[in-house]
Amino acid sequence: MEHLNPGSPRACHEDAEPLDLVCVGAGAKGVAVAAKVHALNSCTDMGLRVAVVDAVAPGAHWRGDSGFTSGHETLGTRPEKDVGFPYRSERSFPRVHEALNDEMIRLSWARYLIDRTGYSGWVDAGVQGVTHRRFAEYLSWVVERATNGISHLTERVTRVDRVDDALWTVTTVAPGGAVRTITARAVMVTGPGAVRALDVEPSAAHLVLDARSPRDALAALGRAGARVCVVGAGESASSAALAIAASTTQRLHIELMTSGLVASRAESPVENRVYSDPESVDWSRRSEHERRHFIRRTDRGVISGDAVARLMNDDRVVLTEGRVLSVWERDGRAVVRVRRGEQISDVPFDAVVNCTGFDAAEGVRALLGPTTEVALEAMLEVPLADVAEHGALAHDLALRGVTPPLFVPALAGFAQGPGFANLSSLGLMSDRVVAAVAARRARRGAPVGGLASVDARRGVADAVLR
C-alpha cells in the first residue's frame, strides 16, 4: 500500500475527486478488499481508487501488542483461507476472473511463504495452523504489494457522515492531531465493533477489564492466590483465561463463567463448505431457524478444540455456568451477582474480565454523526442495532436500502453467509464489495481507467462485470 504522510494534501483528498471507497480498518477484511482492488486494477482499466484507514497497522488486533490477543494463540481459521479464498471470482467478474485470480494468487498465503522461504517447512510440518501474529505478518506482506489504486492512512476515523445519495465524508485524526476529511462514494466499516457491556457500578470499573485489554494487563492479574472471573464462552474468553494462566506458575483461581455449556468449534467438510461458499448451499434461501441454529452451533460462543484442551488440562481454571447480572465493589474486590437457574448468588473476585462478545452494529453507530444515524434508520426501516437480526444486508454486503453504500460484512452472517462475519471467505467477501463499487463507478460520470466517454466506460464495465 501507498503510505501517505500525515498532513499532505494528497492524503487529505479534500479537494480531489471523491474516492470510490474508504475502508475503515486494515484488518483481514480491509486488506482483502485492498488486494482485490489492486488485482482488478492490474488486469483491467477499471482504475478504482480506495483508501484504507487504520489508527495502528495492518492486522493490529492480531499482533499481540494492541489487546484482543497475545499473538501466540492459534488462528481459528486455516491460513490457506487467505485474502483471495475461495478464488471464485467468476461469479462477480465473469469476463476477467482468470486474470483476476492469477493476480490474487500473487498475494496468497502460499506465495507469502515462498517469498519468506518458509513454504517447504510449513508443508513438511503438516500444514499446521498459524499464530495470530504470523497471520498479521502475512497481512502486512499483502499491504506492501497491493498498491494499484490503494492508499493507506495511518489515522483514526472519528466520524462518518452521509452527505447525500452519492457521497460520504470520513473524518480522521492523524497521530499529530491534524484533522482531515475524506470524501468517498462508498464506505466499508470493519472490525469487531464495541464490547458488549456488563452492568458494572462506577465504583467497580477499575476492577473490570475486557477482551481488548493488553495482555500485560491481564498477566498482571496472575498473582498468587488471586481469584479472577472471565465472563464469556468464545475465543476471546479462552484467550484471556489462557493469558492469565500462562503469566505465572503460582496457584490462583480462574473462573471461566459461561451462560451455557462450553462448545468446541465444528470443522467438518460440511461446516467448512458453508463458511467458505454459502452460495453452494443456497444459504440465503434457507429458513431463518436453520440459519440461526447453524450459526449458534458453529460460531457463537465456541472455542477451538486446542484451547478447550489447554483450559481443561490446567487445574487452576474452572468452567462454571451462570449468567452475570451485575458487578459492584466491596472492600476493594469485585462482587459478581450470578444467576444459576432460579438461584442468585454474590461471588467475590479480585478482578473481572468481560469477554461477552462484540457488537458490530454499535461499532458502526458510534462512528455516525447524529443526522446520519437518523437518515440510515429511516432508509433501513429498522433500528441500526437490529439490522443483523432482520437480515437487512444486501447481496453486496451493504446495508439494504441505504445510499450511498455502507458495507458492513461483520453484520452479514445471518443474511448472506456465516463466513462473511469472520475470516472464512475473504475472497468472496471482497468480490461482492468490489464488484458493487466497480459497477457504481462505471455508471457515473467519472472516467474509468482514463476513458472519458460514456460508451468507453460502459465497454469496460461490460467486459469486467458481465
Side-chain angles (χ1 to χ4, degrees), residues 205-288:
H206 67 290
L207 299 171
V208 180
L209 287 76
D210 61 46
R212 301 167 302 180
S213 298
R215 266 32 195 177
D216 56 357
L218 294 180
L221 303 178
R223 57 187 182 275
R227 287 176 51 85
V228 181
C229 178
V230 178
V231 186
E235 293 286 5
S236 61
S238 66
S239 172
L242 290 170
I244 297 167
S247 68
T248 181
T249 58
Q250 302 274 2
R251 294 300 305 176
L252 71 159
H253 176 87
I254 304 170
E255 192 158 327
L256 185 59
M257 191 173 296
T258 70
S259 59
L261 293 173
V262 171
S264 58
R265 190 179 303 279
E267 290 283 356
S268 80
V270 174
E271 283 90 357
N272 285 338
R273 184 175 68 156
V274 175
Y275 276 85
S276 300
D277 189 6
E279 295 177 31
S280 70
V281 297
D282 289 327
W283 174 267
S284 60
R285 296 187 179 183
R286 293 183 177 270
S287 70
E288 290 190 11

Side-chain angles (χ1 to χ4, degrees), residues 152-172:
H152 180 75
L153 300 178
T154 306
E155 300 178 4
R156 179 171 57 89
V157 174
T158 59
R159 184 158 161 165
V160 176
D161 288 290
R162 180 179 181 269
V163 178
D164 52 32
D165 286 344
L167 294 175
W168 296 94
T169 58
V170 179
T171 304
T172 70

Side-chain angles (χ1 to χ4, degrees), residues 3-84:
H3 293 262
L4 301 177
N5 294 325
S8 84
R10 204 158 152 241
C12 209
H13 298 292
E14 290 175 334
D15 301 318
E17 170 73 13
L19 296 176
D20 294 294
L21 176 69
V22 169
C23 292
V24 180
K29 292 182 178 68
V31 172
V33 166
K36 190 61 58 72
V37 169
H38 164 86
L40 184 63
N41 284 344
S42 297
C43 66
T44 73
D45 291 322
M46 188 57 67
L48 296 177
R49 297 169 59 245
V50 173
V52 181
V53 188
D54 195 287
V56 186
H61 291 170
W62 302 100
R63 294 182 177 275
D65 50 10
S66 298
F68 294 93
T69 173
S70 69
H72 301 301
E73 291 96 328
T74 300
L75 191 70
T77 304
R78 295 196 58 82
E80 300 98 316
K81 293 190 174 185
D82 52 31
V83 295

Side-chain angles (χ1 to χ4, degrees), residues 161-169 183-187 372 375-376 378-379 401-406 440 443-444:
D161 288 290
R162 180 179 181 269
V163 178
D164 52 32
D165 286 344
L167 294 175
W168 296 94
T169 58
T183 304
R185 301 186 184 277
V187 171
T372 296
L376 259 59
M379 288 184 278
V402 171
T403 56
L406 179 59
R440 284 178 61 83
R443 288 195 298 265
R444 70 176 189 266

Side-chain angles (χ1 to χ4, degrees), residues 284 288 291-292 300 361 380-394 398-400 411-416:
S284 60
E288 290 190 11
R291 285 181 283 161
R292 294 187 199 283
R300 296 284 169 81
L380 287 164
E381 299 182 344
V382 297
L384 187 59
D386 298 335
V387 294
E389 182 73 14
H390 284 80
L393 277 293
L399 298 181
R400 194 184 303 278
L411 296 176
F414 171 63
Q416 299 297 333

Side-chain angles (χ1 to χ4, degrees), residues 356-382:
T356 53
F358 297 90
D359 186 338
E362 176 59 23
V364 174
R365 191 204 62 77
L367 292 174
L368 301 179
T371 59
T372 296
E373 181 180 356
V374 171
L376 259 59
E377 292 192 340
M379 288 184 278
L380 287 164
E381 299 182 344
V382 297

